[in-house]
Amino acid sequence: EARYANDYRVAKLRVERYRSVVNGHWTTRMLALDVGCANGAFVHYLRSQEVLAFGMDRNPKLPRWCVRGDVQSCRFGRGRFGFVTYHDVLEHIVDPVAELESARRLMAGGSVLVLDVPDVSVPQGVHHWKAEHLWYFTATALRTLLERTGFCVAHEDRPIPGMLVVYGVAG
């Protein structure tokens, strides 16, 4: 319960930041997907803001608004989502190119993708060097990855020391 409460509080801060950055791309009633949703707190907060949000995770114990699975094998329709997020997930994905290509297929043109990853290039991010992380992205690497998978880089942000957030718009 304490973890969920903290994650919900962080979700509110993230959404406030996202709204200010993506501005015209944020609408109520848009369809959103949070990949690697864990306990679903971010999805729950989005739903409280009138965003039709779903979460996806491999965790067998998920809230009712989340589905078990992964983006590469999911059965959501093509071009449906207006907003897709990855919070501390992409560094765990075996094939980030295939992952983001799959995410792109789920998104409508002009939709926003948010990648939130550890920034190990600064001293505050060094604690993110972990054995379970398969990738350590730089801002340049994330921008290249987005462009390679059909996104235009819209914004780069470092909302807190040790974290890097890159926003892409689906082409």
Side-chain angles (χ1 to χ4, degrees):
E1 287 183 29
R3 175 63 189 244
Y4 180 88
N6 180 66
D7 290 352
Y8 193 86
R9 181 187 58 77
V10 170
K12 182 179 183 208
L13 297 173
R14 281 179 163 149
V15 168
E16 288 170 2
R17 186 76 164 215
Y18 297 166
R19 279 184 174 155
S20 69
V21 171
V22 302
N23 204 0
H25 292 280
W26 187 278
T27 61
T28 57
R29 307 308 302 164
M30 70 178 167
L31 194 58
L33 178 65
D34 183 33
V35 180
C37 67
N39 61 23
F42 184 77
V43 176
H44 189 207
Y45 183 76
L46 284 177
R47 285 175 165 251
S48 79
Q49 301 300 296
E50 297 184 14
V51 173
L52 185 54
F54 297 91
M56 177 175 284
D57 202 299
R58 292 182 178 163
N59 179 354
K61 295 181 180 180
L62 292 170
R64 68 182 179 281
W65 52 81
C66 300
V67 294
R68 187 164 190 236
D70 61 76
V71 168
Q72 293 183 50
S73 62
C74 82
R75 298 184 188 260
F76 285 120
R78 295 178 69 89
R80 295 191 48 153
F81 290 95
F83 190 68
V84 176
T85 56
Y86 284 78
H87 300 114
D88 298 300
V89 173
L90 199 62
E91 64 273 17
H92 300 274
I93 302 291
V94 172
D95 188 346
V97 172
E99 179 75 15
L100 293 187
E101 287 173 342
S102 296
R104 173 62 193 93
R105 283 190 290 277
L106 297 175
M107 299 172 71
S111 298
V112 175
L113 173 74
V114 178
L115 301 176
D116 185 332
V117 299
D119 185 1
V120 294
S121 69
V122 297
Q124 299 90 335
V126 171
H127 72 278
H128 291 293
W129 285 98
K130 298 178 180 176
E132 68 264 20
H133 290 177
L134 304 175
W135 301 96
Y136 297 98
F137 295 101
T138 63
T140 301
L142 276 181
R143 286 193 304 270
T144 301
L145 179 60
L146 282 169
E147 291 167 358
R148 181 176 173 188
T149 55
F151 295 91
C152 297
V153 177
H155 188 71
E156 181 182 312
D157 196 11
R158 289 180 171 80
I160 59 171
M163 294 305 292
L164 170 65
V165 182
V166 178
Y167 300 75
V169 176

